[in-house]
């Protein structure tokens, strides 16, 4: 199945909801910084989220 990249707003929403579900506090600026870096690709958005949640890594 082909999944097209999310637009900027959908990407930010995806990240925010994922971090909220995992009870991880991130600033709006951090979310804004991630979005252009991963270019809206859901798999990359997910990978960044996993890295932050599991590895307790900084966002950027």
């Amino acid at each position: 199945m082909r999944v097209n990249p999310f637009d900027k707003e959908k990407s930010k929403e995806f990240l925010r909801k994922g971090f909220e579900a995992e009870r991880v506090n991130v600033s709006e600026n951090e979310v804004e910084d991630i979005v252009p870096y991963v270019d809206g690709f859901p798999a990359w958005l997910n990978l960044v989220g996993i890295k932050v949640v599991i590895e307790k890594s900084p966002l950027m």
Side-chain angles (χ1 to χ4, degrees):
M1 175 163 75
R2 183 177 178 97
V3 178
N4 292 323
F6 295 156
D7 64 23
K8 183 178 179 178
E9 291 307 311
K10 187 58 123 180
S11 294
K12 291 190 300 187
E13 178 184 356
F14 181 88
L15 287 170
R16 278 191 223 107
K17 286 186 177 188
F19 289 134
E20 286 173 13
E22 294 296 328
R23 297 184 179 107
V24 173
N25 293 321
V26 296
S27 72
E28 186 62 26
N29 287 338
E30 290 171 312
V31 171
E32 289 279 342
D33 288 343
I34 293 170
V35 172
Y37 183 72
V38 298
D39 204 23
F41 286 95
W44 291 116
L45 289 163
N46 195 46
L47 182 62
V48 169
I50 289 169
K51 185 169 180 65
V52 171
V53 171
I54 292 176
E55 296 179 8
K56 310 245 186 291
S57 299
L59 289 173
M60 301 302 279

